[in-house]
Amino acid sequence: MDKKEILKEFSSDPDRFYKVKLFADEGFVRKSCLKCKRFFWTLDSGRELCPDDADDTYSFIGNPPTTKRFDYTQSWKEVESFFVKNGHTSVSRYPVVCRWRDDLYFTIASIVDFQRIMGSKVVFEFPANPLVVPQTCLRFKDLENVGVTGRHFSSFCMIGQHSIPNSQGYWKDQCVDLDFRLLTDQFGIKKEEVVFVEDVWAGGGSFGSSLEYFVKGLELGNAVFTEFQGELGKHTILDQKIIDMGAGLERFAWITMGTPTAYDCCFGPITNKLFQKIGISPNSELLRMYFTEIAKGLEKFEDLIDVRKHAIKKVGLTDEQVNRIITPLEGIYLIADHLRTLIFAISDGALPSNVGGGYNLRMILRRVIATMNRMNLKLDLDELIDAHIDYLKETYPELNSSREDVKTILKIEAGRYDESKSRMEKVASKLKGRGKPLTVNELITMYESDGITPDYLKELDVISEIPSTFYAKLSDLHQSEKKKGVEKLPLDNLPETDMLFYKDDPMEFEAKVLRVFDRSVVLDKTSFYARGGGQEPDYGTIAKYKVIDVNKHGGVVVHELEGGIPNEGEMVKCKVDSLRRENITKNHTSTHILNSSSRSVLGSWIWQHSAFKEADHARLDITHHSPLSESEINEIEKVANSVIKQNIPVSIDNFDRGTAEQKYGFKIYQGGVVPVKSVRIVSIKDFDVEACGGTHVKKTGDIEIIKITKTKRIQDGVVRIEFVSGQTAFDYIKQKEMDEIKSVEESAEKEQIQNQKEERKQKAREKIPVLLEKISAYHLDGTTTIDEIQIHMTKSSKFCFTSSDQYDEFFHINFGKKLVKNNPMITYVGIFEAGSTIRIIVYSGEEASKSKNAGNIAKSMAEILGGAGGGDEKFAQGGGKDTSKKVEAINKAKSMMLGLE
Ligand SMILES: [Zn+2]
Ligand SMILES: [Zn+2]
């Protein structure tokens, strides 16, 4: 939808869309900006320019328009007390990790807290009406601005003022009246300073008018009145109109303090701490001028690099001043901002990684480290984390409990960065010599493949500036990862299936066939659990056909059959394979137990990443930074089995989603988003509470036992735990014990064989010299046998031969070699069995080999034995498997050694 079109339409009827009661009561006049033509409302009838174009833009820096001074924490207290005093409920912030939406990693606006996606529709669920919330929002699209512009943050507090106009809530008149009084009464800003600018908002198929409110050129808030749906011209009024007023708490603090930047008044003691480290004072006239120019320049120039250059020129800063004051300041602001974001994200269960939303977190931590290195700052991150949390806990007490976890995670991540440095250095030094500058796409590829941030390249002077579009592009790239495709099946006009597995869950039932297509059948009711939440489907039979798959499409359960298919309209008998179901059920409850066991053993950052439950095996993937150690695995298993031993009841209750979220928090969304209004809460007392649509045992004792079979780090930040439970676990343990016994036996056997071999070797070593002695003493012309070695010594031929079992390879090799060395006229053949083969070793002495070639002898024998042999005239070996030809082979050898052939 074209916003400009809508704005033109709305502004053509200001009485209908913009003129609220306050404007009439106070005497606001409507003006059109001389420069940009936008319409705005003001009490100053002489004002001709909109806040963006007027000369007073950012004149609050150094000269705040309020008598009161409030920092970040105090500002929230003021805002909160004002709205509570005026009938609003103050709601605690929602997590910054947006687990209730499939399309967002992080909470990007306060209204997101209350949006739930049902099908393709966004519905709103308010825990109170009207309400106000200090919602921390994370945005990574314009990271290059952070620290530089004075007003951009990677995380900020959006004051969310929300109302549904009904008997409790209000609409435009009261909203604008409240916002005006917040500024004037509560913050003490003069009425004449407040300017409202006409605008519109459109998104997600709906749209409405909005009023942005400014003081001294600073946009403090934007009240959006979501009122219509559809295309402009053909639009209709929404059943549920919504007020979405979002204001920046950091800006509220800034306008009352008038510091050079919003950073100076929003990080509590942190910025001052850092200023001391580098020895600069932030409250100088020079900074006031510089950041006022930056603020003005942001409206004028597209590129931040130009904004900065322009401001430097305008204020007349020297290079020395820029290097000594501005650049270090920017670094300090960046460090403070990024650390604050990491604290919120890690506290809410996100981990830096190279996938999904974890991407941005790793990126900003690396920016922090690169900035510290570039500035040569030796900072203790733990100390800064403590200082941040000590300051933030006034508004966000929940951060206090995750202090140590945040430190742990950042330490691990910083360590990883250090480890990868030498590799990064290599890549960077190669780039240094290259003539042309790196493109944004090249920079993105480098970060994706090597984890090299542009900040690091800047630190090493490979690049001088980070391209302005880098962070936006990277963020877009990873946002689109979190989207899903939908399969289209012929299921039109079917009622939702009556899901018996959520009711009395009979394992045998009768049902009516409502639709048949391909090999699929839809019944009016079913007990077959449809694949979902990582739980595999039930099998069994429908009519006489095998059920091989079951899936849910919207509220309709589709069974896939094998062997045939019933007819539409038929009543069929159905039977669920109850043993399979029972095993899957045990595995499902086990994943819940293991998930919470892992969290209690490893840390608060453990979330279920995904899970899979089959009948005979299951796995749980958890978010964790490192592979699991043996002792961690044992500890998790121990905790899980103690929960089983306690035989805790597993209870299932249905809650209104909002109630469940308020009661248990967002930890219930371990298995991901629940797209229904009523959530099914599965709780194992306080130990584990999850929103889950799966089947579960009645008491933890029913599982009997959980056994972890394997763990593996499957991706950055995710560890897989494979496990079995119940009978499968007992079988597994038994099998493992048997395997162990077997392997002990096998190794004993191996050892025995090894020992025997050693013994024989030793024997051979002792025996060989004795034998050689005996043989050399035997000079008679004739034959004899010593120790089963036949000795043949005639004038025409001299040889020794043995096929005795007592001799092995070691003997033959060593004996034969020495024998022919002692007597070059001799030939030696040893034949022995090794496994299923008969092997031959032949030596022929220096002289003997001239007529009795060892290679030929070995080859001829091996051929007879059905094998092969080879070597040279002095030494050869061979073998074959035909044991029945052993005698024939021996005879052949003898005849060759006798010189008969
Ligand atoms: Zn203007
Ligand atoms: Zn579950």
Side-chain angles (χ1 to χ4, degrees), residues 632-693:
E632 284 168 339
I633 296 168
N634 290 338
E635 195 53 35
I636 293 169
E637 210 175 75
K638 216 170 99 189
V639 174
N641 283 307
S642 85
V643 170
I644 290 174
K645 215 173 211 168
Q646 291 166 50
N647 204 17
I648 304 169
V650 180
S651 51
I652 295 174
D653 302 284
N654 286 292
F655 285 95
D656 172 64
R657 183 168 44 201
T659 313
E661 287 171 0
Q662 294 290 316
K663 191 171 156 84
Y664 300 110
F666 288 87
K667 280 222 157 68
I668 59 171
Y669 294 136
Q670 293 288 334
V673 181
V674 179
V676 285
K677 256 192 105 64
S678 165
V679 289
R680 190 168 175 263
I681 294 291
V682 178
S683 47
I684 304 169
K685 281 210 176 134
D686 297 337
F687 179 71
D688 182 86
V689 182
E690 297 183 28
C692 175

Side-chain angles (χ1 to χ4, degrees), residues 191-208:
K191 290 179 176 181
E192 297 71 34
E193 298 283 8
V194 185
V195 179
F196 291 90
V197 176
E198 293 182 4
D199 204 355
V200 295
W201 183 88
S206 51
F207 62 97

Side-chain angles (χ1 to χ4, degrees), residues 33 35-36 50 53:
C33 174
K35 254 192 192 158
C36 70
C50 77
D53 294 315

Side-chain angles (χ1 to χ4, degrees), residues 285-420:
E285 175 60 13
L286 183 139
L287 292 180
R288 187 195 66 76
M289 290 188 331
Y290 175 76
F291 281 105
T292 307
E293 284 309 325
I294 287 277
K296 286 183 173 171
L298 283 168
E299 305 298 335
K300 271 188 225 153
F301 301 96
E302 281 286 315
D303 200 312
L304 183 67
I305 296 163
D306 296 329
V307 176
R308 204 170 173 271
K309 275 185 194 153
H310 173 79
I312 290 167
K313 203 174 145 200
K314 203 86 194 267
V315 181
L317 295 179
T318 62
D319 282 355
E320 191 272 333
Q321 281 173 313
V322 172
N323 292 335
R324 184 170 49 84
I325 303 168
I326 303 298
T327 307
L329 257 186
E330 290 168 343
I332 276 172
Y333 295 145
L334 179 147
I335 292 169
D337 166 271
H338 285 12
L339 278 181
R340 185 172 77 166
T341 300
L342 286 163
I343 288 169
F344 276 107
I346 294 168
S347 294
D348 288 354
L351 284 179
S353 74
N354 61 15
V355 287
Y359 229 93
N360 299 299
L361 304 180
R362 174 163 290 170
M363 167 65 85
I364 62 170
L365 179 63
R366 293 188 168 200
R367 290 193 82 194
V368 169
I369 299 171
T371 305
M372 280 175 12
N373 291 343
R374 196 179 63 224
M375 291 169 63
N376 235 329
L377 270 179
K378 298 269 170 291
L379 296 178
D380 182 356
L381 288 186
D382 283 2
E383 202 183 296
L384 291 177
I385 291 165
D386 278 330
H388 258 311
I389 292 179
D390 287 343
Y391 182 64
L392 287 167
K393 72 178 183 204
E394 285 285 311
T395 316
Y396 304 110
E398 69 279 9
L399 296 177
N400 209 15
S401 61
S402 40
R403 206 182 271 267
E404 296 313 312
D405 286 345
V406 173
K407 290 179 190 170
T408 304
I409 298 296
L410 289 193
K411 220 164 268 153
I412 291 168
E413 264 300 298
R416 290 215 171 114
Y417 181 71
D418 280 345
E419 278 164 28
S420 58

Side-chain angles (χ1 to χ4, degrees), residues 30-165:
R30 183 173 186 254
K31 295 269 199 170
S32 173
C33 174
L34 283 184
K35 254 192 192 158
C36 70
K37 305 282 177 270
R38 281 202 301 171
F39 291 100
F40 59 88
W41 297 76
T42 174
L43 285 172
D44 173 6
S45 56
R47 190 182 178 98
E48 301 293 355
L49 295 166
C50 77
D52 284 343
D53 294 315
D55 287 339
D56 68 346
T57 291
Y58 286 79
S59 58
F60 68 89
I61 296 180
N63 183 24
T66 60
T67 43
K68 301 168 193 165
R69 305 276 173 268
F70 302 123
D71 73 344
Y72 177 82
T73 305
Q74 292 159 334
S75 289
W76 169 247
K77 296 237 175 304
E78 293 297 318
V79 172
E80 185 184 38
S81 81
F82 174 80
F83 279 111
V84 168
K85 190 162 68 189
N86 284 285
H88 293 66
T89 304
S90 176
V91 176
S92 298
R93 78 170 173 99
Y94 281 46
V96 298
V97 182
C98 191
R99 297 187 194 270
W100 57 96
R101 286 269 298 261
D102 251 346
D103 55 340
L104 291 175
Y105 288 121
F106 298 111
T107 308
I108 53 167
S110 60
I111 191 70
V112 170
D113 294 355
F114 318 110
Q115 290 173 331
R116 300 293 176 272
I117 313 284
M118 314 253 308
S120 59
K121 251 184 91 180
V122 178
V123 297
F124 291 89
E125 284 174 11
F126 284 78
N129 181 32
L131 63 81
V132 62
V133 58
Q135 182 56 44
T136 310
C137 299
L138 267 52
R139 292 186 186 176
F140 298 102
K141 271 185 191 295
D142 47 14
L143 282 183
E144 75 278 4
N145 287 334
V146 176
V148 179
T149 64
R151 66 177 197 237
H152 286 90
F153 294 82
S154 59
S155 63
F156 64 98
C157 172
M158 185 182 278
I159 302 163
Q161 171 199 0
H162 301 287
S163 162
I164 299 170

